[in-house]
């Protein structure tokens, strides 16, 4: 179960040349607790990952990286919904395709998102108008110190835009071991984004939505199995209506998405693109040529290249638009997670 000083290059999607002292694959809650105790006994840092699809390693990790591999899916049907209980280590996209095969609807907009089911609530994954919070019923959380599990109802998960309680109060010393999803049987397709708007709401099938989402993602986003990346590197900034108006006055083509609270969401990829940064590279790290929000490892990148590139992108966007982008990707140094904004200063 344990290996010493192992390369993480193939174990995270950015594919950077970093190592960890130990790697453990945990298939049960007991194995997660044992790995945590081992780290405590050895006074070593402990890092829990799903598939490493949202992590930027800044250096080698001086401790134990644990991959959550708790699997299993059970479902039950009620009058109006399907209820799924899914092990945290299940692959997210496989779950999406399985639900389609089982005749269930509701996950199709979230197709092809890299990573595990257990990672999904942490940043409240979202795509094409659907977020995990729309379908999450509960999250089963293991306290690694006591070995006890508690069920956190979705209403208590403090879900926000790429946000949840699992990035804050339940960040350290806890592991998500399962996620409960509720998929309503009365299907209401969400067709507000991109090519989905071309589909006819009256006749559309779930398979058509799934296929359209997959086609859009495959056309625009680099496949992490081929090109190292961690998806959207930055979050879309949410700014005041005043600032949005000011920018629109100078850039009338800028897409704006007004939010319920009066603030305005901007498209970070568009802002980066306006700075003519598509394809811009620092050593082996580059801004993706199709989707500027994604930073890629062209192959030879080291962590410092990605950090230098991210810093450059932030500065360029801030100089042009007065907006400081915040990373969505989590920054990990030798000891654990670091404040990404501190690193990018
Ligand atoms: P896009 O269609 O080029 O649009 C750019 C941004 O504008 C999106 O990020 C999206 O914000 C926003 N947007 C577009 N249409 C919208 C609408 N009808 N209502 C509200 N906001 C709208 O985006 P894309 O880069 O190809 O991505 C498509 C979807 O996949 C997005 O939802 C995006 O979040 C998701 N995605 C996420 C990741 C990740 O790593 N987190 C990576 C790739 C794609 P939102 O992001 O808030 O939806």
């Amino acid at each position: 179960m344990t290996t010493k000083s192992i390369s993480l290059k193939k174990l995270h999607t950015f594919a950077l040349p970093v190592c960890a002292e130990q790697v453990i694959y945990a298939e049960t809650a007991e194995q997660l607790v044992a790995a945590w105790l081992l780290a405590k006994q050895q006074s070593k840092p402990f890092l829990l990952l799903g598939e490493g699809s949202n992590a930027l390693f800044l250096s080698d990790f001086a401790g134990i990286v644990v991959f959550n591999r708790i699997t299993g899916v059970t479902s039950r049907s009620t009058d109006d919904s399907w209820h799924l209980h899914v092990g945290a280590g299940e692959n997210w996209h496989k779950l999406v395709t399985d639900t389609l095969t089982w005749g269930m609807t509701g996950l199709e907009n979230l197709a092809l998102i890299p990573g595990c089911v257990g990672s999904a609530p942490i940043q409240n994954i979202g795509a094409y108008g659907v977020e995990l919070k729309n379908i999450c019923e509960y999250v089963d959380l293991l306290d690694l110190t006591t070995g006890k599990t508690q069920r956190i109802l979705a209403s208590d998960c403090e879900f926000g835009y790429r946000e949840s309680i699992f990035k804050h109060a339940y960040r350290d010393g806890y592991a998500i071991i399962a996620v409960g999803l509720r998929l309503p049987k009365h299907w209401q397709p969400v067709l507000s984004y991109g090519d989905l708007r071309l589909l006819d709401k009256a006749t559309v099938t779930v398979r058509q939505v799934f296929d359209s989402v997959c086609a859009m993602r495959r056309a625009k986003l680099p496949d992490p199995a081929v090109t190292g990346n961690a998806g959207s590197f930055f979050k879309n900034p949410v700014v005041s209506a005043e600032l949005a108006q000011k920018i629109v006055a100078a850039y009338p083509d800028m897409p704006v998405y007004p939010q319920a609270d009066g603030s305005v969401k901007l498209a970070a990829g568009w802002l980066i693109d306006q700075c003519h940064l598509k394809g811009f590279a620092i050593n082996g790290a580059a801004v993706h040529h199709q989707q500027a929000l994604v930073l890629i490892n062209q192959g030879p990148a080291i962590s410092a290249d990605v950090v230098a590139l991210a810093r450059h992108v932030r500065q360029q966007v801030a100089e042009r638009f007065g907006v400081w982008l915040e990373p969505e990707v989590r920054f990990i140094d030798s000891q654990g997670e670091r404040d990404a904004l501190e690193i990018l200063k």
Side-chain angles (χ1 to χ4, degrees):
M1 191 165 84
T2 308
T3 338
K4 300 280 177 197
S5 189
I6 191 159
S7 168
L8 296 173
K9 193 170 168 68
K10 292 189 175 155
L11 301 181
H12 75 294
T13 61
F14 239 125
L16 292 163
V18 288
C19 293
E21 282 195 12
Q22 296 182 46
V23 168
I24 293 176
Y25 296 90
E27 294 173 7
T28 62
E30 291 71 27
Q31 289 178 1
L32 284 172
V33 171
W36 171 258
L37 282 176
L38 185 67
K40 291 291 134 198
Q41 279 160 7
Q42 298 181 355
S43 302
K44 293 269 169 66
F46 172 98
L47 178 67
L48 182 61
L49 291 181
E51 294 181 8
S53 59
N54 197 37
L56 174 65
F57 283 96
L58 303 170
S59 62
D60 288 341
F61 186 70
I64 305 175
V65 176
V66 180
F67 288 93
N68 190 334
R69 289 291 175 268
I70 298 174
T71 55
V73 184
T74 55
S75 70
R76 76 189 161 84
S77 174
T78 54
D79 283 351
D80 63 351
S81 303
W82 297 285
H83 301 263
L84 298 175
H85 178 88
V86 191
E90 290 285 341
N91 174 268
W92 177 266
H93 181 67
K94 180 173 182 303
L95 177 72
V96 175
T97 55
D98 283 348
T99 57
L100 253 66
T101 308
W102 300 330
M104 300 172 185
T105 50
L107 295 186
E108 56 284 346
N109 292 49
L110 301 174
L112 278 183
I113 296 180
C116 282
V117 170
S119 314
I122 300 175
Q123 68 156 356
N124 180 27
I125 58 168
Y128 303 98
V130 176
E131 288 180 299
L132 184 88
K133 73 172 185 186
N134 304 131
I135 38 160
C136 180
E137 199 163 30
Y138 59 82
V139 172
D140 282 351
L141 189 71
L142 173 68
D143 181 328
L144 292 162
T145 309
T146 64
K148 291 203 171 118
T149 300
Q150 59 178 314
R151 178 157 291 182
I152 318 279
L153 297 179
S155 52
D156 295 325
C157 289
E158 299 179 11
F159 286 129
Y161 170 57
R162 306 289 185 256
E163 269 294 346
S164 75
I165 197 165
F166 308 106
K167 282 188 173 180
H168 302 283
Y170 293 135
R171 193 184 84 168
D172 297 318
Y174 297 89
I176 291 172
I177 55 171
V179 178
L181 302 176
R182 185 178 81 84
L183 305 178
K185 290 181 178 173
H186 177 60
W187 185 46
Q188 295 198 300
V190 178
L191 305 175
S192 52
Y193 275 57
D195 289 352
L196 296 178
R197 284 176 299 200
L198 306 174
L199 300 171
D200 179 355
K201 194 159 190 164
T203 58
V204 69
T205 66
V206 63
R207 176 59 64 175
Q208 285 172 325
V209 176
F210 173 85
D211 287 344
S212 177
V213 167
C214 290
M216 283 190 282
R217 291 190 74 107
R218 289 199 171 107
K220 235 172 131 176
L221 293 166
D223 178 355
V226 179
T227 306
N229 75 90
S232 301
F233 194 90
F234 297 101
K235 295 180 193 174
N236 287 324
V238 179
V239 303
S240 66
E242 293 74 28
L243 178 56
Q245 266 167 21
K246 217 168 110 186
I247 306 175
V248 167
Y251 297 89
D253 294 341
M254 181 174 77
V256 286
Y257 301 100
Q259 305 295 288
D261 63 2
S263 61
V264 177
K265 183 179 73 180
L266 309 180
W270 188 91
L271 300 176
I272 299 168
D273 195 12
Q274 292 301 301
C275 298
H276 309 294
L277 287 170
K278 269 187 183 159
F280 178 82
I282 294 182
N283 300 322
V287 177
H288 190 240
H289 63 285
Q290 297 267 55
Q291 168 50 290
L293 196 45
V294 178
L295 303 189
I296 60 168
N297 173 2
Q298 292 175 315
I302 59 169
S303 308
D305 299 333
V306 181
V307 172
L309 181 65
R311 203 175 273 136
H312 181 75
V313 167
R314 279 189 94 222
Q315 275 164 356
Q316 293 291 302
V317 169
E319 272 172 32
R320 190 176 281 253
F321 297 102
V323 174
W324 285 99
L325 297 179
E326 291 186 13
E328 178 176 314
V329 172
R330 304 179 83 173
F331 285 31
I332 317 286
D333 76 0
S334 65
Q335 303 300 307
E337 185 164 2
R338 290 280 304 277
D339 181 345
L341 291 180
E342 283 292 317
I343 304 288
L344 293 182
K345 257 186 195 162

